[in-house]
Amino acid sequence: MDAAAGRNDEEDVMFTTIDDMPAGAIGFAASGLVTAADRSGVLEPTIGTARSEGRVRLLYVAGEDFAGYETGMPLDEAVFGSRHFSDFEKIALVSDACTLRRAVRALDGLMPAELRVFREAEVETAKEWLAT
């Protein structure tokens, strides 16, 4: 069992840590169907650790292999967001999925973090933005 992902070894880990991030930033690539166990086993602890050093700058990549969230996750994500509402300084979403891009853009101005959406080909640009 992979404790970090809350799954058996033969199952895919839905969050992969992105290496080569700017100082003070963390990054994840989401793939497959993301579950509450993925979030609580991977995102929560990493954000908690990063938060101990200040407000978090997050790169979240939802590539073409990202299948969305399990049933019930949007409500769970709302609770997650309310717990971490002021923890983020900047959030960069990288995705070519129109519905996800629109949903994230709708949040811009509603939370204290700077929020920007990038296309999949712009991962390096997103990292540069987080570094500033």
Side-chain angles (χ1 to χ4, degrees), residues 27-125:
F28 296 97
S31 62
L33 188 68
V34 174
T35 68
D38 296 320
R39 196 211 58 251
S40 64
V42 179
L43 285 184
E44 292 271 359
T46 306
I47 290 169
T49 300
R51 179 66 181 113
S52 68
E53 298 173 15
R55 290 181 68 207
V56 179
R57 289 180 281 146
L58 173 67
L59 173 65
Y60 190 97
V61 178
E64 66 180 51
D65 59 346
F66 174 67
Y69 299 97
E70 75 177 342
T71 303
M73 274 292 289
L75 178 59
D76 197 41
E77 284 296 299
V79 171
F80 170 79
S82 67
R83 279 196 314 263
H84 294 283
F85 187 73
S86 62
D87 289 350
F88 296 99
E89 178 181 352
K90 288 183 170 184
I91 300 171
L93 170 78
V94 175
S95 180
D96 286 343
C98 291
T99 53
L100 186 57
R101 293 171 60 85
R102 275 188 297 237
V104 170
R105 281 192 178 120
L107 296 173
D108 193 23
L110 299 176
M111 53 189 310
E114 290 181 63
L115 183 59
R116 190 157 166 202
V117 178
F118 298 86
R119 297 232 174 247
E120 287 182 47
E122 300 176 306
V123 171
E124 292 306 314
T125 303

